[in-house]
Amino acid sequence: MAHDSGRSRRGTPEEREAAAAKYREAIERLQRTAYWNLRSSIAGLCVFLGFFGALSIYHGGNDGARLAPTLVCVLGGICGAGVYFSRPYPRVVRWLLLAAVSLTGLGLAGLAIVVGNGS
């Protein structure tokens, strides 16, 4: 049997370090992609709800007490749409996503209160 002359079974320390760096880079890329997919899904939901709010306002279904919460949902949808256009700026994406979720949540809560009161 041949002896591998001091070299370990798993490669040299340089090879192990290169493999570890390559692995870390792949994991970081996967995490960035997963976070972007989550952010875009959340933004898409806000845009979807904002679109239906705008459509409801256009058709005259929301008047009186329902108008203000519906407009807040529409603003949330606009902020959600802004997430897609500001992808190169991660800090702006974070703030737009936070605004979209907050405004959409406030609008939906307001609509639930208005509908619950029977107005």
Side-chain angles (χ1 to χ4, degrees), residues 75-119:
L75 284 175
I78 292 170
C79 289
V83 168
Y84 294 105
F85 297 110
S86 61
R87 185 174 182 175
Y89 310 103
R91 184 170 274 164
V92 174
V93 168
R94 193 173 306 128
W95 283 108
L96 280 173
L97 190 62
L98 181 65
V101 169
S102 299
L103 289 170
T104 304
L106 281 171
L108 290 175
L111 283 172
I113 290 170
V114 169
V115 169
N117 287 337
S119 295

Side-chain angles (χ1 to χ4, degrees), residues 52-62:
F52 278 107
L55 197 62
S56 177
I57 291 171
Y58 177 74
H59 286 295
N62 288 336

Side-chain angles (χ1 to χ4, degrees), residues 21-32:
K22 190 175 181 181
Y23 177 76
R24 280 191 297 270
E25 180 183 334
I27 294 298
E28 288 173 1
R29 201 171 335 124
L30 176 68
Q31 286 177 340
R32 279 193 307 269

Side-chain angles (χ1 to χ4, degrees), residues 1-5:
M1 260 200 179
H3 188 16
D4 60 349
S5 67

Side-chain angles (χ1 to χ4, degrees), residues 28-49:
E28 288 173 1
R29 201 171 335 124
L30 176 68
Q31 286 177 340
R32 279 193 307 269
T33 303
Y35 286 139
W36 174 252
N37 289 341
L38 177 65
R39 289 176 184 147
S40 64
S41 296
I42 293 169
L45 178 64
C46 293
V47 169
F48 179 77
L49 292 172

